[in-house]
């Protein structure tokens, strides 16, 4: 019996990688790449129009990254089937993707066989995690699979820097100056940090950071 063709949408800002992945998937009889996107906003628009079965998205993209796009898709769809693409060194970003609603991830260095396995797995609503996981992310995934997902809070290095500066009493403008980023970017990070911590004020943020050892003072 012929397999149902799985409709795929790929999101990645690197056109050479995106086209290369599409070309690989075009050799798989039961997979059909129906759309591409170069950032999270394009992805959201395309999903609405094309209704793919599985989404393969890069974590880091301009305008809107994979984490924010995944969060938005999770709000709009009850069971989005999303695979995160990553490179080594993005452990915390991958956990953010899982927390946002992705149910699988593969390294960008993965071969055709593993990519197809990942697609088939998430298409069936089964989590798939890359076989090349580092020890750190393997440990985190084990916690995720064991039912601790809601208790696992992972901060990116940028978020940790911002937490440190906020705890030192810096304003958003001062944090922006220290890190050479815009004030708006700082405020966006701060909002996400507070959401992760489940606090509603700067005082709550500082208290959480001190309690969890994220800030120990000088």
């Amino acid at each position: 019996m012929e397999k149902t063709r799985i409709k795929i949408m790929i999101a990645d800002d690197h056109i050479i990688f995106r086209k290369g992945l599409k070309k690989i998937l075009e050799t798989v009889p039961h997979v059909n790449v129906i759309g591409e996107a170069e950032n999270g906003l394009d992805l959201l628009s395309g999903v609405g129009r094309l209704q793919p079965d599985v989404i393969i998205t890069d974590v880091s993209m301009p305008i809107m990254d994979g984490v924010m796009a995944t969060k938005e898709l999770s709000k709009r769809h009850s069971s989005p089937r999303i695979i995160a693409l990553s490179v080594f060194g993005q452990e915390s970003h991958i956990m953010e993707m899982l927390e946002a609603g992705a149910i699988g991830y593969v390294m960008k260095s993965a071969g055709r066989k593993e990519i197809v396995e990942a697609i088939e797995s998430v298409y069936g609503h089964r989590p798939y995690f890359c076989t090349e996981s580092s020890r750190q992310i393997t440990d985190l995934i084990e916690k995720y699979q064991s039912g601790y997902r809601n208790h696992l809070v992972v901060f990116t290095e940028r978020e940790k820097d911002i937490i440190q500066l906020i705890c030192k009493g810096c304003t958003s403008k001062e944090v922006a100056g220290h890190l050479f980023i815009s004030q708006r970017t700082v405020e966006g990070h701060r909002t996400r940090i507070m959401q992760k911590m489940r606090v509603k004020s700067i005082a709550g943020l500082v208290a959480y950071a001190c309690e969890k050892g994220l800030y120990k003072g000088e």
Side-chain angles (χ1 to χ4, degrees):
M1 187 175 182
E2 187 178 347
K3 288 186 177 180
T4 301
R5 296 200 78 187
I6 303 171
K7 297 181 291 182
I8 306 290
M9 187 165 182
I10 302 169
D12 195 294
D13 58 314
H14 295 97
I15 188 169
I16 294 177
F17 178 85
R18 193 172 72 240
K19 295 297 184 184
L21 179 56
K22 180 181 179 182
K23 191 169 184 178
I24 289 172
L25 294 178
E26 285 175 343
T27 67
V28 183
H30 60 287
V31 168
N32 180 25
V33 179
I34 60 171
E36 301 175 48
E38 60 181 23
N39 58 63
L41 283 180
D42 286 345
L43 174 61
L44 295 180
S45 174
V47 168
R49 290 183 292 103
L50 302 172
Q51 299 295 307
D53 297 314
V54 174
I55 299 160
I56 304 175
T57 179
D58 191 9
V59 177
S60 302
M61 295 184 290
I63 303 177
M64 178 185 285
D65 65 16
V67 176
M68 294 305 296
T70 298
K71 285 182 179 178
E72 285 299 315
L73 288 169
S74 296
K75 292 176 184 176
R76 301 179 188 185
H77 305 274
S78 58
S79 300
R81 289 172 280 193
I82 300 172
I83 299 171
L85 288 169
S86 76
V87 295
F88 282 111
Q90 289 188 322
E91 284 87 353
S92 60
H93 291 78
I94 290 303
M95 294 313 298
E96 285 186 298
M97 288 290 287
L98 296 177
E99 290 178 338
I103 60 172
Y105 96 93
V106 294
M107 303 299 294
K108 285 195 170 185
S109 58
R112 178 182 182 273
K113 180 181 178 182
E114 185 168 25
I115 293 171
V116 173
E117 286 177 354
I119 290 171
E120 292 176 341
S121 183
V122 303
Y123 179 66
H125 296 284
R126 299 183 303 275
Y128 185 93
F129 303 114
C130 180
T131 57
E132 294 185 33
S133 300
S134 68
R135 182 68 257 170
Q136 180 185 0
I137 197 167
T138 298
D139 290 342
L140 291 173
I141 287 170
E142 285 174 357
K143 292 179 183 179
Y144 172 87
Q145 290 178 309
S146 298
Y148 293 102
R149 176 182 177 183
N150 293 332
H151 303 285
L152 182 62
V153 181
V154 180
F155 297 99
T156 66
E157 291 305 311
R158 174 65 82 192
E159 287 171 342
K160 290 177 183 177
D161 290 339
I162 291 172
I163 289 169
Q164 291 292 314
L165 291 168
I166 290 175
C167 288
K168 290 177 181 178
C170 294
T171 64
S172 293
K173 184 176 181 180
E174 290 169 336
V175 172
H178 279 291
L179 299 179
F180 303 103
I181 55 179
S182 72
Q183 186 172 334
R184 183 176 178 181
T185 298
V186 171
E187 291 167 353
H189 278 298
R190 186 186 64 201
T191 297
R192 286 176 61 186
I193 289 167
M194 292 173 69
Q195 288 174 342
K196 287 183 179 183
M197 292 179 172
R198 297 182 182 178
V199 300
K200 297 182 178 180
S201 66
I202 296 300
L205 183 155
V206 174
Y208 180 102
C210 292
E211 179 186 347
K212 301 296 183 181
L214 294 168
Y215 179 70
K216 298 180 181 179
E218 296 180 341

